[in-house]
Every structure is written in structure tokens, then in C-alpha cells.
Amino acid sequence: MEAAVKSCKRAFNSWSETSVLSRQQIFLRYQQLIKDNMKEIAKLITKEQGKTLADAEGDVFRGLQVVEYACCVTSLLLGETLPSITKDMDTFTYRLPLGVSAGITPFNFPAMIPLWMFPMAMVCGNTFLLKPSESVPGASMMLAKLLQDAGAPDGTLNIIHGQHAAVDFICDHPDIKSISFVGSNRAGEYIYERGSKHGKRVQSNMGAKNHGVVMPDSNKENTLNQLVGAAFGAAGQRCMALSTAVLVGDAKAWLPELVEKAKKLIVTAGDQPGADIGPLISPQAKKRVCDLVQSGIDEGATLLLDGRGIQVKGYEKGNFVGPTVLANVKPHMKCYTEEIFGPVLVVLEANTLDEAIDIVNSNPYGNGTAIFTTNGATARKYSNLVDVGQIGVNVPIPVPLPMFSFTGSRASFRGDINFYGRQGIQFYTHIKTVISQWKAEDATLTGPAVVMPTMGR
């Protein structure tokens, strides 16, 4: 691990002095290489992580979009200038790279989340140390090889593997200037505190409990399809999964139809034709999901659909959990207060929109939420009053495209600057300000000026 950081540090001086146009050209070649190899990367993701091939391709594609955005660096790195702020004096700012940056990524998006990080950091002139999840290292290794093929110099991107010791190493090492993290709250809080304590800039995207508020005036067929896809897709292993439905008023009567749609989803290995839901990442993850479902039953929730006992032919020992629906869930129940991270939809009920907003705002997480309605005034009120960083209006998973930034909030995020978009550029750079004065009379100045410079006179 020490050798990897030293390699990044050695490479930084020459890489940061490489022209921005040359760095841009490398990433223009890189995005084409990702496109050319997308299916191979997706196959590797499905093999290691289990998600369906279609979902794995989406994983790669959303990461590719960030690489494409990084190619706009010549506009994104522009500084600011104010000439003649006083006589013969100009002020200008420009953005400089931090040094060695590091990223710690989770198992659920083996391509997308690394691609949130190192392309944005490196195109700004930083070198990067990546620690992918030990469960799914293959995609990161392949992406690194493609970057090398695109022309990135040796040492500009290094990868280390490991668990707790590797995380502590990144948090503590004095040559690492910033840390990007995506994962659980427990790990994210720890990394934010430990990294910040050592003077590092840290951005930490963490857990979520994303609510889908269903109004009775919404398009029923479209809404139910959106809910089912967003709750159970990727086996619920998304930080933006719509894991909680809040049915308002007469929308409560739609539950039987929602359950019927969930029953039709095909659960099997991710590389099998027609697969809708693949396995969970590990036996431990399966046990945790099943335990949280049982806790909901024990606390009084109604089990409308139970996917815990599903058997997949040919994969009887697989980590499969089928679509599961818990109704009559109350805010104090453990199945609601904890992020389940599995194909489980918990359903709460509200009589009014205001009651639904109170439910969402009383939950500590602020990653994402969605409202389903055909009423513009309802959508506007919800968008204005709900305290969540990313809001979808008839959009179940409102992950912004990379010309914007990923703006999860409250207990879902720690730090001051968010991922990708313009905020990503800000995170991986610092500003230098130069105040310049060139006076003709300086050549004949006869004595020192000892009073405070006022600049405005």
C-alpha cells in the first residue's frame, strides 16, 4: 500500500504539469475504450456481483457519462478575473489539483462509482489511489487497464485491495489529500471523522431510506410499474432504491395490484435470459435481509409477499431473496428505521400529502425521494417542503446526470462538496488567487510605502 501511494506521489508533479489539453485527450480516448468494452465489463460485473447483464451495462453506462463530462475540463477548470480592481491592479483566480486523492468504493456499483471518482480527479491533475470493494475488484482492474491503454502515465492511477487496514491506511496517510467514499453509514461516518481529523478533504455518500409518495391522482399503471422496478431492481442493492412506499388516501387500495406485479419478476442468476433480479452479494447479506423482514413481522407489519424461501433451479445455494412486500409498517419498526438493502418494499400509509411529507422529513436520511402525481401544484408543494437532496416527480430513481451533481443530504451525506458535476471539480481542486500590480512609476519609486494598502481609493 505504501508503494502505491509513493507511486502516486512521484507521478503527481509531472501529471499536474501535463497540459489540460493532453489530459483531456487521454480521457477522450478512455471514454471510447469504455464504450468498446462495455459488454465485457458488464459480464465481469455480473460474474462477480450477480446483477443482471442489462443492469450491469447500465452500471457501466452511467459511469461512462461521468467520463464524458470530465472531457469538458477545459471549460470546467476556468478561473475568474477582475481587471483594474484599482489603478494598475488586476485580480485573478485559477484552480489547481490537490495532490494524491483516494477513493473507497462499494460492491453494488463496481463500475459507476469508481468512475464517479478517478476520472474527475485525474483530469484536474490529481493522481489517484483506488480501493474497490474486496467483493468485486474485477471491474476496477479492467477500468484501470483501459485507462493505461488510453495513455495515462504509470503511477497516475493505482489500486490497492483490502478491508479495514486499507481504509485506515488511506485515512491516516499524510500524502493523501482527499478521500471520496460511497457505502454504509457506519463506514462512512468513520471515514469522514478519521480522514477529517488528519486534515483531509472528505466526501462521504452513505445510506438511505428513499420514499415514494403515491398520490391517488397519479397514473396507476405507470406508478405501480415504477415502484416495482425501483424497489426490486438490482435486488434492492442500490443506495437510491425506492425501498419505502407511502400510499396517500385512496392509493392504499392499489396494494394488491402492486403485489401481483412484483410476483411476476423473474429471480435467477444475472447471466440468465429474462432475469429481472439476481442474487444478493453474500450469505451474510441474505441473512440480514431475512432477519429485518422477520423483525417487521414480529413488530406487527403485514407480510403481503414473502421472497425469503425462494429456490432458483440450478442455484439452490445461491444468495437469492425474491420480491418481498411488508404493509402496515409504522415509523418505529426496525424494518423502516434501518436500510434493508435487499428486494424488500415497506409500505406506510398517509391520509394527506402533508402527513406524507411529515413522514419523509422525520426520517433522518436525505438521499432521494419521489412523488407520483398528475397535479403540478401537488408536485411543487412536495418538492419545496420535503427535506431531501434529490427529488423525482414521476421519476422513481432521481440520480442526476453528471452535468449536475449527486446531492444526497442529511444523514445520507457527510462533507461540504458533493460528487461529480461542477461540485466534483471543486472537490478535487483548490483555488489560488493572484493580485497583480504593474505601475509605470515603480521603476522610479524612491521610498517604501508603510501604510495599509486600501486598494479602493
XYZ file of all heavy atoms in Angstrom, residues 13-112:
784
model
N 3.828 15.284 -9.814
C 4.450 16.503 -10.343
C 4.353 16.577 -11.857
O 3.935 17.603 -12.415
C 5.912 16.579 -9.897
C 6.055 16.939 -8.430
O 5.141 17.499 -7.831
N 7.189 16.612 -7.841
N 4.714 15.501 -12.530
C 4.671 15.547 -13.993
C 3.244 15.544 -14.522
O 2.925 16.225 -15.499
C 5.456 14.366 -14.580
O 4.908 13.142 -14.138
N 2.343 14.783 -13.854
C 0.948 14.725 -14.313
C 0.250 16.065 -14.125
O -0.481 16.525 -15.015
C 0.211 13.623 -13.566
C -1.244 13.482 -13.938
C -2.322 13.684 -13.126
C -1.775 13.087 -15.209
N -3.495 13.451 -13.802
C -3.196 13.076 -15.098
C -1.207 12.751 -16.426
C -4.028 12.742 -16.158
C -2.049 12.412 -17.495
C -3.441 12.404 -17.342
N 0.466 16.717 -13.001
C -0.193 18.003 -12.745
C 0.333 19.090 -13.680
O -0.370 20.076 -13.954
C 0.000 18.426 -11.287
O 1.374 18.588 -10.982
N 1.558 18.915 -14.179
C 2.116 19.887 -15.113
C 1.838 19.531 -16.573
O 2.151 20.310 -17.477
C 3.631 20.008 -14.885
C 3.959 20.650 -13.539
C 5.442 20.624 -13.220
O 6.221 20.157 -14.080
O 5.821 21.061 -12.127
N 1.258 18.356 -16.790
C 0.817 17.993 -18.135
C -0.305 18.938 -18.551
O -1.193 19.251 -17.749
C 0.320 16.537 -18.158
O 1.386 15.679 -17.777
C -0.181 16.149 -19.536
N -0.276 19.403 -19.778
C -1.276 20.389 -20.188
C -2.684 19.825 -20.050
O -2.919 18.620 -20.204
C -1.036 20.817 -21.641
O -1.464 19.819 -22.543
N -3.619 20.695 -19.763
C -5.006 20.270 -19.601
C -5.538 19.671 -20.902
O -6.369 18.750 -20.885
C -5.877 21.447 -19.106
C -5.990 22.537 -20.155
C -7.264 20.973 -18.699
N -5.033 20.143 -22.043
C -5.463 19.587 -23.322
C -4.966 18.152 -23.496
O -5.683 17.297 -24.039
C -4.961 20.454 -24.475
C -5.612 21.845 -24.591
C -4.941 22.657 -25.691
C -7.097 21.730 -24.844
N -3.765 17.868 -23.010
C -3.247 16.500 -23.103
C -4.023 15.565 -22.192
O -4.326 14.426 -22.564
C -1.754 16.487 -22.736
O -0.999 17.228 -23.675
N -4.345 16.030 -20.985
C -5.158 15.203 -20.081
C -6.538 14.961 -20.689
O -7.091 13.857 -20.612
C -5.272 15.869 -18.705
C -3.939 16.044 -17.984
C -4.111 16.297 -16.498
N -4.906 17.444 -16.157
C -4.423 18.640 -15.831
N -3.113 18.864 -15.816
N -5.238 19.630 -15.499
N -7.110 15.988 -21.285
C -8.410 15.849 -21.928
C -8.357 14.793 -23.034
O -9.272 13.964 -23.154
C -8.836 17.195 -22.514
C -10.200 17.179 -23.197
C -10.452 18.463 -23.964
O -9.581 18.935 -24.706
N -11.636 19.042 -23.770
N -7.306 14.792 -23.832
C -7.186 13.832 -24.927
C -7.136 12.398 -24.408
O -7.723 11.486 -25.009
C -5.937 14.133 -25.752
C -6.070 15.333 -26.673
C -7.165 15.130 -27.709
O -7.255 14.079 -28.345
N -8.005 16.138 -27.886
N -6.466 12.175 -23.293
C -6.414 10.831 -22.700
C -7.814 10.364 -22.331
O -8.206 9.221 -22.610
C -5.482 10.821 -21.474
C -4.019 10.937 -21.936
C -5.679 9.556 -20.636
C -3.031 11.137 -20.808
N -8.606 11.247 -21.745
C -9.944 10.832 -21.317
C -10.926 10.759 -22.492
O -11.900 10.010 -22.423
C -10.442 11.734 -20.185
C -9.842 11.336 -18.869
C -8.695 11.951 -18.398
C -10.384 10.293 -18.136
C -8.110 11.547 -17.205
C -9.814 9.881 -16.947
C -8.670 10.505 -16.481
N -10.664 11.486 -23.557
C -11.465 11.292 -24.766
C -11.218 9.899 -25.338
O -12.158 9.205 -25.758
C -11.120 12.356 -25.807
C -11.713 13.758 -25.556
C -11.059 14.792 -26.457
C -13.229 13.750 -25.753
N -9.966 9.465 -25.330
C -9.671 8.097 -25.775
C -10.247 7.074 -24.808
O -10.751 6.015 -25.219
C -8.161 7.902 -25.915
C -7.530 8.686 -27.054
C -6.118 8.227 -27.339
N -5.189 8.543 -26.269
C -4.508 9.677 -26.173
N -4.645 10.635 -27.092
N -3.661 9.880 -25.175
N -10.203 7.412 -23.524
C -10.687 6.487 -22.488
C -12.184 6.222 -22.637
O -12.635 5.068 -22.553
C -10.374 7.066 -21.110
C -10.681 6.149 -19.949
C -10.279 4.822 -19.954
C -11.357 6.615 -18.820
C -10.529 3.981 -18.882
C -11.612 5.793 -17.745
C -11.204 4.478 -17.786
O -11.465 3.641 -16.714
N -12.959 7.271 -22.873
C -14.408 7.053 -22.972
C -14.731 6.164 -24.170
O -15.661 5.360 -24.115
C -15.180 8.383 -23.013
C -14.778 9.360 -24.109
C -15.557 9.183 -25.391
O -16.656 8.652 -25.370
N -14.996 9.623 -26.501
N -13.957 6.259 -25.245
C -14.206 5.389 -26.386
C -13.842 3.949 -26.067
O -14.552 3.010 -26.460
C -13.410 5.867 -27.609
C -13.734 5.083 -28.870
C -15.196 5.182 -29.257
O -15.764 6.271 -29.324
N -15.834 4.031 -29.496
N -12.769 3.743 -25.311
C -12.376 2.385 -24.916
C -13.430 1.751 -24.005
O -13.702 0.547 -24.102
C -11.019 2.405 -24.227
C -9.816 2.626 -25.144
C -8.542 2.809 -24.315
C -9.656 1.472 -26.120
N -14.020 2.543 -23.124
C -15.096 2.007 -22.275
C -16.281 1.594 -23.137
O -16.864 0.515 -22.940
C -15.517 3.043 -21.204
C -14.373 3.283 -20.210
C -16.761 2.557 -20.457
C -14.653 4.393 -19.209
N -16.656 2.433 -24.097
C -17.754 2.072 -25.000
C -17.454 0.768 -25.741
O -18.315 -0.110 -25.858
C -17.985 3.193 -26.022
C -18.605 4.450 -25.458
C -18.720 5.514 -26.540
C -19.258 6.817 -25.976
N -19.276 7.900 -26.991
N -16.225 0.644 -26.223
C -15.853 -0.534 -26.996
C -15.853 -1.806 -26.155
O -16.035 -2.913 -26.700
C -14.463 -0.337 -27.610
C -14.424 0.767 -28.662
O -15.503 1.162 -29.138
O -13.314 1.240 -28.979
N -15.638 -1.669 -24.860
C -15.511 -2.831 -23.978
C -16.648 -2.938 -22.972
O -16.547 -3.669 -21.988
C -14.175 -2.764 -23.220
C -12.982 -2.973 -24.131
O -12.573 -4.095 -24.394
N -12.416 -1.871 -24.623
N -17.745 -2.218 -23.214
C -18.831 -2.163 -22.233
C -19.407 -3.536 -21.916
O -19.633 -3.876 -20.751
C -19.935 -1.223 -22.722
C -21.059 -1.043 -21.706
S -22.314 0.134 -22.244
C -21.397 1.668 -22.265
N -19.630 -4.345 -22.930
C -20.241 -5.659 -22.690
C -19.304 -6.570 -21.897
O -19.772 -7.356 -21.057
C -20.643 -6.304 -24.019
C -21.833 -5.618 -24.680
C -22.358 -6.402 -25.853
C -23.545 -5.699 -26.505
N -24.701 -5.575 -25.576
N -18.021 -6.483 -22.142
C -17.074 -7.304 -21.398
C -17.003 -6.872 -19.932
O -16.929 -7.708 -19.025
C -15.681 -7.228 -22.037
C -15.602 -7.877 -23.401
C -16.064 -9.327 -23.385
O -15.591 -10.080 -22.512
O -16.916 -9.691 -24.227
N -17.018 -5.568 -19.697
C -17.028 -5.074 -18.306
C -18.311 -5.530 -17.615
O -18.289 -5.968 -16.457
C -16.910 -3.537 -18.272
C -15.630 -3.071 -18.959
C -16.917 -3.045 -16.815
C -15.573 -1.559 -19.176
N -19.437 -5.445 -18.331
C -20.726 -5.849 -17.752
C -20.727 -7.330 -17.401
O -21.224 -7.727 -16.342
C -21.865 -5.523 -18.712
N -20.175 -8.157 -18.268
C -20.105 -9.602 -17.974
C -19.294 -9.866 -16.717
O -19.651 -10.728 -15.891
C -19.490 -10.342 -19.164
C -20.392 -10.462 -20.372
C -19.676 -11.170 -21.516
C -20.539 -11.229 -22.760
N -19.809 -11.850 -23.904
N -18.204 -9.128 -16.556
C -17.373 -9.298 -15.363
C -18.128 -8.862 -14.109
O -18.047 -9.518 -13.056
C -16.083 -8.484 -15.523
C -15.036 -8.596 -14.416
C -14.651 -10.051 -14.160
C -13.812 -7.768 -14.772
N -18.882 -7.774 -14.208
C -19.682 -7.306 -13.070
C -20.709 -8.361 -12.680
O -20.884 -8.690 -11.495
C -20.359 -5.964 -13.403
C -19.317 -4.848 -13.488
C -21.426 -5.612 -12.354
C -19.872 -3.536 -14.017
N -21.424 -8.895 -13.667
C -22.436 -9.918 -13.385
C -21.802 -11.154 -12.761
O -22.356 -11.741 -11.819
C -23.171 -10.296 -14.684
O -23.884 -9.150 -15.149
C -24.159 -11.428 -14.445
N -20.636 -11.542 -13.230
C -19.955 -12.710 -12.689
C -19.571 -12.506 -11.229
O -19.712 -13.408 -10.397
C -18.711 -13.006 -13.523
C -17.925 -14.233 -13.078
C -16.731 -14.472 -13.990
C -15.929 -15.686 -13.535
N -14.755 -15.928 -14.419
N -19.087 -11.320 -10.886
C -18.618 -11.060 -9.526
C -19.726 -10.602 -8.588
O -19.755 -10.988 -7.413
C -17.522 -9.984 -9.539
C -16.187 -10.468 -10.056
C -15.079 -9.462 -9.787
O -15.355 -8.249 -9.751
O -13.939 -9.896 -9.626
N -20.609 -9.737 -9.093
C -21.580 -9.078 -8.216
C -22.953 -9.717 -8.257
O -23.688 -9.666 -7.265
C -21.671 -7.592 -8.599
C -22.254 -6.683 -7.537
C -23.767 -6.507 -7.683
O -24.388 -6.996 -8.615
N -24.350 -5.803 -6.725
N -23.339 -10.299 -9.412
C -24.599 -11.011 -9.504
C -25.717 -10.281 -10.189
O -26.730 -10.895 -10.551
N -25.606 -8.961 -10.388
C -26.715 -8.224 -11.006
C -26.908 -8.685 -12.445
O -26.005 -9.273 -13.062
C -26.481 -6.712 -10.944
C -25.282 -6.203 -11.711
C -25.221 -4.675 -11.709
C -25.031 -4.085 -10.330
N -24.919 -2.596 -10.370
N -28.074 -8.425 -12.987
C -28.383 -8.873 -14.340
C -27.469 -8.172 -15.348
O -26.957 -7.068 -15.092
C -29.844 -8.579 -14.704
O -30.040 -7.161 -14.758
C -30.793 -9.199 -13.671
N -27.303 -8.787 -16.502
C -26.430 -8.206 -17.527
C -26.919 -6.831 -17.965
O -26.128 -5.905 -18.160
C -26.340 -9.144 -18.727
C -25.366 -10.320 -18.577
C -25.561 -11.313 -19.717
C -23.922 -9.824 -18.547
N -28.230 -6.684 -18.111
C -28.780 -5.387 -18.515
C -28.485 -4.322 -17.462
O -28.118 -3.187 -17.792
C -30.285 -5.498 -18.742
N -28.619 -4.697 -16.202
C -28.336 -3.765 -15.122
C -26.846 -3.451 -15.054
O -26.440 -2.318 -14.776
C -28.821 -4.345 -13.793
C -29.017 -3.276 -12.734
O -29.369 -2.136 -13.089
O -28.824 -3.586 -11.536
N -26.008 -4.447 -15.315
C -24.562 -4.238 -15.310
C -24.141 -3.283 -16.420
O -23.261 -2.428 -16.232
C -23.840 -5.576 -15.445
N -24.775 -3.402 -17.588
C -24.474 -2.456 -18.667
C -24.888 -1.044 -18.278
O -24.205 -0.062 -18.593
C -25.160 -2.886 -19.962
C -24.487 -4.069 -20.631
C -24.950 -4.273 -22.065
O -25.264 -3.270 -22.743
O -24.986 -5.432 -22.506
N -26.024 -0.920 -17.575
C -26.432 0.388 -17.079
C -25.439 0.947 -16.079
O -25.163 2.158 -16.051
N -24.886 0.084 -15.242
C -23.846 0.450 -14.280
C -22.669 1.102 -15.013
O -22.197 2.194 -14.650
C -23.418 -0.839 -13.561
C -22.422 -0.640 -12.437
O -21.681 0.346 -12.448
O -22.370 -1.517 -11.552
N -22.187 0.435 -16.057
C -21.056 0.959 -16.822
C -21.437 2.252 -17.543
O -20.673 3.234 -17.550
C -20.555 -0.081 -17.843
C -19.346 0.460 -18.613
C -20.189 -1.390 -17.148
N -22.631 2.280 -18.120
C -23.046 3.437 -18.914
C -23.141 4.697 -18.068
O -22.708 5.779 -18.502
C -24.386 3.150 -19.600
C -24.818 4.244 -20.528
C -24.241 4.377 -21.784
C -25.797 5.149 -20.154
C -24.630 5.402 -22.651
C -26.187 6.173 -20.993
C -25.601 6.298 -22.257
N -23.693 4.574 -16.861
C -23.805 5.776 -16.016
C -22.434 6.272 -15.568
O -22.224 7.476 -15.387
C -24.703 5.503 -14.807
C -26.190 5.346 -15.104
C -26.803 6.537 -15.827
N -26.780 7.773 -15.069
C -27.802 8.248 -14.347
N -28.933 7.571 -14.284
N -27.705 9.381 -13.708
N -21.488 5.357 -15.411
C -20.122 5.790 -15.131
C -19.479 6.443 -16.339
O -18.756 7.452 -16.224
N -19.732 5.876 -17.516
C -19.199 6.440 -18.757
C -19.647 7.887 -18.937
O -18.871 8.738 -19.414
C -19.678 5.586 -19.935
C -19.429 6.129 -21.346
C -17.936 6.257 -21.626
C -20.105 5.242 -22.382
N -20.871 8.193 -18.561
C -21.359 9.564 -18.702
C -20.535 10.556 -17.889
O -20.343 11.702 -18.302
C -22.833 9.630 -18.300
C -23.761 8.925 -19.280
C -25.207 8.931 -18.811
O -25.498 8.739 -17.632
N -26.126 9.157 -19.740
N -20.029 10.116 -16.748
C -19.167 10.988 -15.942
C -17.829 11.195 -16.647
O -17.268 12.296 -16.647
C -18.966 10.419 -14.524
C -18.030 11.309 -13.710
C -20.306 10.285 -13.806
N -17.297 10.138 -17.274
C -16.054 10.277 -18.035
C -16.256 11.278 -19.182
O -15.405 12.138 -19.433
C -15.588 8.917 -18.585
C -14.286 9.079 -19.377
C -15.388 7.919 -17.454
N -17.384 11.178 -19.856
C -17.675 12.108 -20.954
C -17.747 13.547 -20.431
O -17.241 14.483 -21.073
C -18.983 11.718 -21.633
C -18.899 10.409 -22.408
C -20.236 9.918 -22.921
O -21.275 10.291 -22.336
O -20.241 9.153 -23.897
N -18.355 13.708 -19.254
C -18.430 15.049 -18.670
C -17.038 15.557 -18.294
O -16.733 16.743 -18.461
C -19.334 15.041 -17.443
C -19.492 16.392 -16.785
C -20.306 17.366 -17.359
C -18.827 16.701 -15.605
C -20.462 18.609 -16.764
C -18.974 17.943 -15.009
C -19.793 18.897 -15.587
O -19.924 20.120 -15.008
N -16.178 14.658 -17.804
C -14.822 15.053 -17.428
C -14.054 15.597 -18.624
O -13.131 16.402 -18.464
C -14.078 13.868 -16.805
N -14.443 15.180 -19.827
C -13.779 15.671 -21.034
C -14.093 17.146 -21.305
O -13.477 17.759 -22.188
C -14.171 14.815 -22.240
S -13.568 13.106 -22.135
N -15.028 17.729 -20.564
C -15.332 19.162 -20.673
C -14.412 19.999 -19.787
O -14.706 21.170 -19.522
C -16.786 19.438 -20.281
S -18.014 18.553 -21.252
N -13.316 19.401 -19.336
C -12.474 20.017 -18.313
C -11.967 21.401 -18.714
O -11.767 22.270 -17.855
C -11.295 19.086 -17.966
C -10.397 18.853 -19.184
C -10.493 19.626 -16.802
N -11.756 21.638 -20.007
C -11.220 22.939 -20.413
C -12.163 24.083 -20.075
O -11.732 25.215 -19.877
C -10.928 22.946 -21.918
O -12.056 22.417 -22.629
C -9.712 22.083 -22.233
N -13.460 23.795 -19.999
C -14.418 24.814 -19.555
C -14.601 24.786 -18.047
O -14.745 25.831 -17.401
C -15.780 24.596 -20.234
O -15.672 24.710 -21.635
N -14.559 23.573 -17.479
C -14.857 23.421 -16.058
C -13.771 23.992 -15.166
O -14.032 24.401 -14.031
C -15.071 21.944 -15.730
C -16.248 21.272 -16.439
C -16.222 19.773 -16.210
C -17.562 21.860 -15.960
N -12.519 24.026 -15.651
C -11.409 24.498 -14.825
C -11.158 25.999 -14.958
O -10.204 26.510 -14.372
C -10.128 23.744 -15.181
C -9.898 22.399 -14.497
C -8.561 21.809 -14.930
C -9.935 22.524 -12.978
N -11.988 26.692 -15.712
C -11.768 28.120 -15.890
C -11.819 28.855 -14.559
O -12.662 28.588 -13.711
C -12.825 28.709 -16.835
C -12.751 28.289 -18.309
C -13.944 28.869 -19.062
C -11.446 28.745 -18.939
N -10.897 29.799 -14.380
C -10.907 30.632 -13.183
C -11.704 31.906 -13.411
O -12.512 31.997 -14.341
N -11.450 32.890 -12.561
C -12.161 34.169 -12.643
C -11.152 35.308 -12.676
O -10.063 35.207 -12.098
C -13.094 34.345 -11.449
C -14.202 33.302 -11.365
C -15.060 33.447 -10.124
O -14.494 33.650 -9.037
O -16.284 33.354 -10.261
N -11.520 36.392 -13.334
C -10.635 37.544 -13.459
C -11.433 38.826 -13.265
O -12.566 38.936 -13.757
C -9.966 37.582 -14.846
O -9.252 36.379 -15.062
C -9.001 38.754 -14.954
N -10.851 39.755 -12.548
C -11.426 41.099 -12.438
C -10.306 42.098 -12.692
O -9.461 42.342 -11.822
C -12.043 41.322 -11.055
C -12.778 42.653 -10.875
C -13.918 42.789 -11.882
C -13.329 42.767 -9.458
N -10.266 42.648 -13.874
C -9.189 43.599 -14.183
C -9.456 44.968 -13.572
O -10.599 45.342 -13.294
C -9.223 43.659 -15.715
C -10.631 43.348 -16.071
C -11.117 42.373 -15.026
N -8.392 45.711 -13.383
C -8.465 47.106 -12.900
C -9.324 47.219 -11.653
O -10.214 48.069 -11.548
C -9.001 48.031 -14.003
O -8.142 47.994 -15.123
N -9.058 46.352 -10.690
C -9.814 46.433 -9.434
C -9.505 47.749 -8.733
O -10.304 48.291 -7.979
C -9.507 45.220 -8.548
C -10.549 45.110 -7.441
C -8.098 45.245 -7.997
C -10.540 43.776 -6.719
N -8.329 48.261 -8.989
C -7.959 49.637 -8.707
C -6.925 49.991 -9.765
O -6.599 49.162 -10.620
C -7.414 49.802 -7.277
O -7.256 51.196 -6.997
C -6.095 49.077 -7.085
N -6.378 51.141 -9.754
C -5.484 51.559 -10.843
C -4.278 50.627 -10.968
O -3.575 50.371 -9.989
C -5.012 52.994 -10.589
C -4.239 53.592 -11.766
C -3.891 55.040 -11.517
C -3.238 55.660 -12.760
N -2.001 54.990 -13.130
N -4.118 50.078 -12.156
C -2.982 49.214 -12.486
C -2.961 47.893 -11.731
O -1.926 47.230 -11.650
C -1.645 49.945 -12.234
C -1.503 51.184 -13.081
O -1.952 51.156 -14.241
O -0.946 52.181 -12.580
N -4.100 47.490 -11.147
C -4.131 46.258 -10.355
C -5.228 45.323 -10.851
O -6.363 45.738 -11.072
C -4.371 46.582 -8.883
C -4.316 45.363 -7.961
S -4.561 45.826 -6.227
C -3.020 46.683 -5.904
N -4.858 44.035 -11.053
C -5.798 43.008 -11.510
C -5.829 41.864 -10.502
O -4.829 41.586 -9.825
C -5.369 42.455 -12.874
C -5.124 43.552 -13.898
O -5.951 44.468 -13.977
O -4.082 43.486 -14.587
N -6.984 41.191 -10.421
C -7.121 40.005 -9.565
C -7.634 38.850 -10.423
O -8.562 39.017 -11.204
C -8.102 40.256 -8.410
O -7.621 41.342 -7.604
C -8.224 39.013 -7.525
N -6.994 37.708 -10.271
C -7.490 36.527 -10.985
C -7.279 35.284 -10.128
O -6.424 35.248 -9.228
C -6.834 36.375 -12.364
C -5.337 36.251 -12.354
C -4.722 35.008 -12.339
C -4.538 37.390 -12.387
C -3.349 34.885 -12.357
C -3.146 37.277 -12.397
C -2.545 36.025 -12.388
N -8.138 34.292 -10.384
C -8.049 33.027 -9.650
C -7.937 31.888 -10.649
O -8.399 31.992 -11.788
C -9.300 32.779 -8.783
O -10.432 32.565 -9.630
C -9.576 33.939 -7.841
N -7.323 30.803 -10.210
C -7.326 29.584 -11.008
C -7.332 28.376 -10.095
O -6.997 28.471 -8.906
C -6.170 29.539 -12.008
C -4.797 29.829 -11.467
C -3.962 28.799 -11.058
C -4.315 31.143 -11.399
C -2.679 29.058 -10.593
C -3.045 31.415 -10.937
C -2.221 30.372 -10.539
O -0.960 30.634 -10.070
N -7.746 27.241 -10.659
C -7.903 26.013 -9.888
C -6.702 25.102 -10.091
O -6.254 24.885 -11.225
C -9.190 25.283 -10.284
C -10.445 26.013 -9.846
C -11.699 25.183 -9.977
N -12.812 25.860 -9.329
C -13.086 25.771 -8.028
N -12.344 24.998 -7.251
N -14.091 26.427 -7.509
N -6.216 24.556 -8.980
C -5.059 23.666 -9.014
C -5.418 22.332 -8.364
O -6.246 22.275 -7.452
C -3.891 24.299 -8.241
C -3.304 25.580 -8.844
C -2.267 26.162 -7.888
C -2.687 25.299 -10.204
N -4.802 21.240 -8.805
C -5.067 19.936 -8.188
C -4.543 19.869 -6.760
O -3.633 20.617 -6.375
C -4.321 18.961 -9.108
C -3.244 19.794 -9.738
C -3.839 21.162 -9.909
N -5.122 18.951 -5.987
C -4.765 18.824 -4.569
C -3.495 18.019 -4.367
O -2.721 18.277 -3.452
C -5.908 18.133 -3.815
C -7.288 18.780 -3.891
C -8.310 17.903 -3.176
C -7.279 20.176 -3.293
N -3.299 16.977 -5.191
C -2.182 16.055 -4.997
C -2.648 14.629 -5.213
O -3.271 14.312 -6.234
N -2.392 13.776 -4.245
C -2.865 12.390 -4.308
C -4.265 12.335 -3.699
O -4.454 12.701 -2.536
C -1.924 11.430 -3.551
C -2.442 9.987 -3.649
C -0.505 11.529 -4.090
N -5.242 11.891 -4.476
C -6.608 11.695 -3.983
C -6.873 10.194 -3.867
O -6.222 9.390 -4.532
C -7.623 12.334 -4.925
O -7.471 13.737 -4.963
N -7.827 9.832 -3.023
C -8.148 8.413 -2.816
C -9.650 8.201 -2.893
O -10.438 9.100 -2.579
C -7.612 7.927 -1.472
N -10.036 6.992 -3.295
C -11.440 6.623 -3.356
C -11.667 5.248 -2.769
O -10.861 4.332 -2.977
N -12.745 5.105 -2.014
C -13.137 3.830 -1.403
C -14.552 3.540 -1.899
O -15.478 4.306 -1.634
C -13.091 3.915 0.132
C -11.689 4.295 0.605
C -13.533 2.595 0.766
C -11.612 4.658 2.091
N -14.705 2.435 -2.631
C -15.968 2.208 -3.333
C -16.659 0.933 -2.846
O -16.016 0.012 -2.356
C -15.736 2.139 -4.852
O -14.860 1.051 -5.156
C -15.117 3.424 -5.358
N -17.992 0.841 -3.025
C -18.783 -0.288 -2.518
C -18.943 -1.386 -3.555
O -18.494 -1.270 -4.701
C -20.128 0.363 -2.206
C -20.259 1.399 -3.299
C -18.864 1.906 -3.561
N -19.640 -2.436 -3.159
C -19.817 -3.595 -4.040
C -20.939 -3.430 -5.047
O -20.990 -4.130 -6.052
C -20.099 -4.855 -3.204
C -21.470 -4.883 -2.587
C -22.578 -5.315 -3.313
C -21.676 -4.465 -1.273
C -23.855 -5.332 -2.754
C -22.942 -4.474 -0.705
C -24.034 -4.909 -1.451
N -21.882 -2.513 -4.793
C -23.124 -2.546 -5.570
C -23.025 -1.908 -6.947
O -23.816 -2.221 -7.833
C -24.284 -1.930 -4.767
C -24.007 -0.508 -4.329
O -22.864 -0.129 -4.088
N -25.047 0.288 -4.209
N -22.056 -1.021 -7.161
C -21.832 -0.443 -8.481
C -20.339 -0.503 -8.793
O -19.620 0.486 -8.641
C -22.356 0.993 -8.546
C -23.850 1.085 -8.613
C -24.599 1.337 -7.462
C -24.521 0.913 -9.811
C -25.982 1.409 -7.521
C -25.915 0.983 -9.878
C -26.646 1.231 -8.728
N -19.866 -1.652 -9.255
C -18.424 -1.843 -9.420
C -17.781 -0.962 -10.487
O -16.564 -0.754 -10.464
C -18.310 -3.326 -9.815
C -19.566 -3.957 -9.312
C -20.612 -2.902 -9.471
N -18.562 -0.444 -11.425
C -18.018 0.442 -12.460
C -18.419 1.890 -12.238
O -17.587 2.793 -12.282
C -18.478 -0.014 -13.849
N -19.702 2.132 -11.993
C -20.190 3.505 -11.944
C -19.504 4.333 -10.867
O -19.057 5.467 -11.126
C -21.706 3.518 -11.712
C -22.298 4.920 -11.694
S -24.071 4.956 -11.340
C -24.079 4.639 -9.566
